[in-house]
Amino acid sequence: MYVIEHAFLNLGKNKGRNILLGVIIFTIITAVTVTLAIFNTTGIVIGETTNVMNSTVRVVPSDGQKIISEEATAAISLQQYQSFAESENLDSAEIKESHTSVNGVDAVYFLKHPDMLKNFEAELRKKGLPDNYSVVTDESAFQNAIGSVANLQSLMLTFLIIVLSLGAVIMMLLSAITIRERKYEIGVLRAMGMKKNKVTLGLWVEILTITLICFTLGMGAGTMLSQPVSDMILAGQTASTSAGSTSLAERLNIMTETEEPIQVNVSVNAVTATGILGISILLASIAGVISVSQINKCEPIKILMERN
């Protein structure tokens, strides 16, 4: 109990150093909160978008996007496209005439589940779909829809690694400097009979208390900054990206026909908060490990003699 009380007393005695340490930890936790919030949210968006896009299919010539022959151009009529939409495998379909599309028809079919693709294609074959046509997912629309979000997720992962690496290094340096400055204090405590593990516990309680306070403040600041930072990054990444088809934009609720930036609604959930708390405690523990290694080198008599 004395160790903990002594640790809290030291927090008040060393205000300047503790404030500096707190500012650094607060900055690290805020950056980690913003990064993890955006990273986890983009992961959810990518997963949901992948599921939707894998359920979105088109009927195209088997060679990809090119018309094989004049016969292929006239192989499927508007009525046939509409009959294809009458399927129990579909959730919905959007069919409209278009002079730039194959057979003059732009048809998009939305499966109830991605696994129904083979069943749907088999059904269309029975309804007269020619062999030189294939039923495929819309890869180009998928890349258009997910590209900026995937880039954002990759950027956040890289930034997270950098922040944690720098944070760990800074914490290690600060701990080493702190122990050096408090060498005499540690020597006195050791000379009074306090064991190394208790001295280490006291130092760990100090930094853990600072870390938990900074965690509370950093979580609040990070949560408020996550959405603006996400919007700013996405706005830069999608400035030159054209939007996909209107039907896909409405279905995904990601892209718009006015080519506005992708909107990712960032939030900090319980899992993210728990992860950030774990990272905060890890940073405090890293500092504790440094303290242990430094304290083990401290011999009370030698420290007191050096002071004299």
Side-chain angles (χ1 to χ4, degrees):
M1 189 65 182
Y2 170 76
V3 174
I4 297 177
E5 290 179 357
H6 183 265
F8 281 112
L9 287 175
N10 279 332
L11 289 175
K13 291 180 180 178
N14 305 294
K15 292 181 181 180
R17 182 175 59 239
N18 291 332
I19 290 175
L20 175 61
L21 181 62
V23 170
I24 294 173
I25 296 176
F26 168 78
T27 303
I28 294 172
I29 292 176
T30 300
V32 170
T33 301
V34 173
T35 305
L36 276 181
I38 297 176
F39 180 83
N40 291 340
T41 302
T42 51
I44 295 173
V45 171
I46 290 174
E48 293 178 349
T49 304
T50 300
N51 185 63
V52 170
M53 296 308 298
N54 286 338
S55 299
T56 305
V57 298
R58 293 178 182 270
V59 177
V60 299
S62 297
D63 68 338
Q65 301 298 325
K66 298 180 180 179
I67 304 300
I68 300 173
S69 64
E70 293 182 0
E71 289 76 16
T73 304
I76 305 178
S77 65
L78 175 61
Q79 289 71 26
Q80 284 180 297
Y81 279 111
Q82 292 172 339
S83 69
F84 294 161
E86 299 172 0
S87 170
E88 294 182 354
N89 294 300
L90 297 180
D91 181 47
S92 61
E94 293 187 2
I95 303 171
K96 60 184 179 181
E97 294 183 275
S98 173
H99 298 297
T100 60
S101 301
V102 177
N103 300 317
V105 177
D106 183 17
V108 184
Y109 303 97
F110 302 109
L111 300 172
K112 291 180 179 178
H113 193 276
D115 294 339
M116 295 180 174
L117 178 60
K118 291 185 178 180
N119 293 336
F120 180 59
E121 182 174 5
E123 181 183 346
L124 297 195
R125 297 296 180 194
K126 292 180 181 180
K127 290 183 177 181
L129 179 66
D131 292 336
N132 56 358
Y133 278 82
S134 301
V135 182
V136 298
T137 56
D138 198 333
E139 292 294 335
S140 61
F142 174 77
Q143 294 299 327
N144 203 11
I146 211 67
S148 295
V149 181
N151 290 338
L152 176 59
Q153 186 183 47
S154 177
L155 178 63
M156 289 299 101
L157 178 60
T158 301
F159 185 69
L160 178 62
I161 294 173
I162 293 174
V163 169
L164 291 180
S165 299
L166 289 177
V169 171
I170 292 172
M171 293 291 290
M172 292 170 65
L173 290 175
L174 283 176
S175 296
I177 293 172
T178 299
I179 293 299
R180 183 174 298 179
E181 291 178 351
R182 299 177 65 179
K183 216 172 183 182
Y184 182 74
E185 175 189 341
I186 294 172
V188 171
L189 292 174
R190 294 288 312 285
M192 292 172 58
M194 184 175 288
K195 296 181 179 180
K196 292 180 180 180
N197 59 343
K198 289 187 176 181
V199 175
T200 302
L201 176 61
L203 295 173
W204 186 75
V205 169
E206 290 181 34
I207 193 170
L208 181 62
T209 302
I210 296 173
T211 300
L212 291 178
I213 294 173
C214 293
F215 167 76
T216 303
L217 299 175
M219 278 289 295
T223 301
M224 290 188 294
L225 290 173
S226 296
Q227 190 65 59
V229 171
S230 174
D231 293 342
M232 180 180 65
I233 295 174
L234 281 173
Q237 289 187 345
T238 60
S240 59
T241 302
S242 60
S245 62
T246 303
S247 60
L248 291 176
E250 294 173 349
R251 187 173 177 81
L252 291 172
N253 195 28
I254 293 179
M255 304 172 68
T256 67
E257 58 186 353
T258 57
E259 301 187 6
E260 293 179 357
I262 294 174
Q263 176 69 43
V264 177
N265 295 318
V266 179
S267 61
V268 180
N269 54 33
V271 176
T272 302
T274 302
I276 296 170
L277 178 60
I279 291 173
S280 303
I281 295 176
L282 177 62
L283 290 174
S285 299
I286 290 175
V289 170
I290 300 299
S291 299
V292 170
S293 63
Q294 293 293 320
I295 289 173
N296 287 336
K297 298 177 182 178
C298 297
E299 295 298 332
I301 297 178
K302 184 179 180 181
I303 293 173
L304 295 176
M305 290 179 62
E306 288 178 354
R307 180 63 179 263
N308 294 329

